[in-house]
Amino acid sequence: MATKCGKCGPGYPTPLEAMKGPREEIVYLPCIYRNTGIEAPDYLATVDVDPKSPQYCQVIEPQEVHTKCNLGYLHTSHCLASGEVMISSLGDPKGNGKGGFVLLDGETFEVKGTWERPGGAAPMGYDFWYQPRHNVMISTEWAPPNVLKDGFNPADVEAGLYGSHLHVWDWQRHEIIQTLPLKDGLIPLEIRFLHNPAADQGFVGCALSSNIQRFFKNEGGTWSVEKVIQVPPKKVKGWMLPEMPGLITDILLSLDDRFLYFSNWLHGDLRQYDISDPQKPRLTGQIFLGGSIVKGGPVQVLQDQELQCQPEPLVVKGKRVAGGPQMIQLSLDGKRLYVTTSLYSAWDKQFYPDLIREGSVMLQIDVDTEKGGLKLNPNFLVDFGKEPLGPALAHELRYPGGDCSSDIWI
């Protein structure tokens, strides 16, 4: 595999051509030990996902991760057409909010500087996606690292310390040209344009308000946003608040722009929506993979607008799954969805303490790409609780040659 950012992977000319690519055989996942009580370095795990392999569902190559720069809580990375790597930041090295972007050399990975103009960073940062044909990039915001790093405090929401805006950037001039306040849109995290490089719309998942908002370009060249999906909260007993949000923590789009997927980390369900009409998404699949409202747990659901009863705990290959569905990744052909269960170690410890003791897992869901629908593969489980140095928290998933949440066509 090549190591140059601009030259790695098969280089499919279009998203639809990418769907014809070969089946994935390995998946990369960063695994975390920080704030878990285990004195060990974070590492990058390589997981075998080839059913024909004798090492199927196993971690085959852990590699220690060394951080060589102190640039302040980095998050999303995308390759640029120039061959450079661009990485978003949540804050400055002291933990204050600062939504800037770091540029790395695509061959040496040496830091080249910041992408935005001096003094032009957004107040907060998290994820981003760019669409060169419309000369635009849009970024999201979680919260300053000092606010979120020790766990979730509802008082910080009341104080306005969490993000609620999208920032629209001029792609060529590297500056913010519009800031979009999100109506009922607290903590906008993951953002995705449609994969079609000519598309002028996409979706963002607002975690705390548990809704999906569609952003789009107006005829005059400005941008707007509207809510298109709302996950209703559940009235509960035995939890930190009287109402529990779904907490949408990850979203992605199939390469043909037909389906949108997202995870409700607290409620515990993974959803599939048909977005053939982006203004009117239609629910076509839903599956529960753990979560905070399972039967027999500490939380009692008092009122639920969607379910008649609390879901059963999830047991896969004899292991009861702790946590809820969090990071997701779709196969190129759209037929397999991979899921991990850890969000962020401090929040894991707060909401799912069993994750710290037992480690996270990786699951695989079979997808009906014709009629819609999701079904658990009962024979697939990667248990990061069995890692040699102790239970680890596996996070996002990436393929060596590109995938639905990192590739951008120009």
Side-chain angles (χ1 to χ4, degrees):
M1 184 179 69
T3 58
K4 297 181 180 181
C5 179
K7 301 179 181 179
C8 61
Y12 301 108
T14 68
L16 295 181
E17 284 298 316
M19 295 188 74
K20 303 173 185 177
R23 178 176 174 140
E24 67 283 356
E25 296 182 346
I26 61 173
V27 174
Y28 298 133
L29 304 92
C31 294
I32 309 301
Y33 280 123
R34 282 169 290 166
N35 302 320
T36 65
I38 297 176
E39 296 297 327
D42 299 340
Y43 65 97
L44 183 69
T46 302
V47 172
D48 190 325
V49 294
D50 180 3
K52 299 178 182 179
S53 169
Q55 296 177 305
Y56 182 55
C57 292
Q58 296 180 30
V59 178
I60 57 175
E61 186 181 341
Q63 182 176 350
E64 185 176 334
V65 175
H66 296 279
T67 302
K68 297 183 178 180
C69 61
N70 186 25
L71 296 169
Y73 305 90
L74 304 182
H75 185 260
T76 299
S77 63
H78 283 298
C79 287
L80 308 185
S82 63
E84 297 169 307
V85 182
M86 182 168 163
I87 309 177
S88 61
S89 171
L90 277 72
D92 65 21
K94 295 182 179 180
N96 303 306
K98 185 178 182 182
F101 304 88
V102 178
L103 283 178
L104 306 181
D105 185 283
E107 297 185 22
T108 66
F109 296 106
E110 294 294 323
V111 176
K112 298 182 66 175
T114 58
W115 177 83
E116 73 278 5
R117 293 187 175 188
M124 289 181 273
Y126 188 68
D127 195 21
F128 72 101
W129 198 280
Y130 63 91
Q131 202 79 322
R133 294 192 189 183
H134 293 279
N135 188 36
V136 69
M137 179 181 81
I138 302 181
S139 64
T140 65
E141 47 184 36
W142 186 356
N146 287 337
V147 171
L148 63 89
K149 67 179 183 179
D150 295 323
F152 175 69
N153 184 346
D156 292 334
V157 178
E158 295 294 327
L161 300 181
Y162 277 92
S164 60
H165 296 82
L166 299 182
H167 301 284
V168 183
W169 300 74
D170 185 296
W171 182 241
Q172 294 181 349
R173 299 205 311 263
H174 301 192
E175 61 185 16
I176 295 175
I177 55 174
Q178 191 178 355
T179 294
L180 300 175
L182 295 168
K183 184 179 180 181
D184 188 27
L186 280 171
I187 312 184
L189 292 182
E190 305 292 343
I191 188 167
R192 307 285 183 261
F193 265 96
L194 297 185
H195 290 290
N196 179 350
D200 59 359
Q201 61 181 318
F203 300 91
V204 60
C206 299
L208 191 58
S209 53
S210 300
N211 55 50
I212 301 293
Q213 307 222 10
R214 168 182 167 263
F215 58 88
F216 55 95
K217 188 177 183 179
N218 300 305
E219 289 185 4
T222 60
W223 293 79
S224 295
V225 64
E226 63 178 358
K227 182 168 67 174
V228 292
I229 300 172
Q230 178 65 59
V231 177
K234 303 181 188 299
K235 292 186 177 181
V236 295
K237 180 181 179 181
W239 198 63
M240 66 183 301
L241 295 171
E243 289 192 344
M244 179 189 292
L247 205 73
I248 297 173
T249 51
D250 198 13
I251 72 170
L252 60 77
L253 307 180
S254 59
L255 286 174
D256 58 4
D257 292 330
R258 183 184 171 194
F259 291 112
L260 178 149
Y261 300 86
F262 67 80
S263 54
N264 284 309
W265 190 59
L266 290 178
H267 287 179
D269 60 313
L270 183 67
R271 302 192 183 200
Q272 176 197 48
Y273 284 80
D274 186 313
I275 54 169
S276 299
D277 181 351
Q279 293 180 268
K280 297 179 179 179
R282 179 172 58 89
L283 181 64
T284 50
Q286 183 179 21
I287 186 171
F288 278 83
L289 305 170
S292 295
I293 61 167
V294 294
K295 290 181 179 178
V299 176
Q300 178 185 358
V301 178
L302 304 177
Q303 184 176 338
D304 194 325
Q305 299 180 38
E306 297 182 314
L307 302 178
Q308 298 298 316
C309 61
Q310 294 180 228
E312 297 288 341
L314 179 65
V315 179
V316 183
K317 298 180 75 171
K319 178 179 176 65
R320 176 166 172 162
V321 172
Q326 207 287 92
M327 298 304 293
I328 54 179
Q329 187 56 261
L330 189 66
S331 60
L332 297 182
D333 62 9
K335 295 181 179 180
R336 291 165 300 284
L337 194 64
Y338 297 94
V339 188
T340 57
T341 52
S342 166
L343 172 59
Y344 180 73
S345 57
W347 290 44
D348 292 348
K349 188 180 299 183
Q350 181 178 7
F351 293 107
Y352 294 114
D354 286 349
L355 273 177
I356 305 299
R357 294 188 292 266
E358 301 176 16
S360 65
V361 300
M362 176 179 167
L363 306 169
Q364 188 248 304
I365 310 300
D366 292 322
V367 179
D368 186 332
T369 58
E370 295 183 7
K371 299 179 181 178
L374 304 172
K375 183 179 180 181
L376 177 71
N377 180 349
N379 299 313
F380 187 101
L381 174 76
V382 181
D383 184 358
F384 290 92
K386 296 181 178 180
E387 288 297 272
L389 297 178
L393 301 173
H395 197 57
E396 60 186 333
L397 309 103
R398 291 287 183 266
Y399 303 140
D403 48 61
C404 294
S405 52
S406 60
D407 280 13
I408 296 176
W409 276 264
I410 58 174

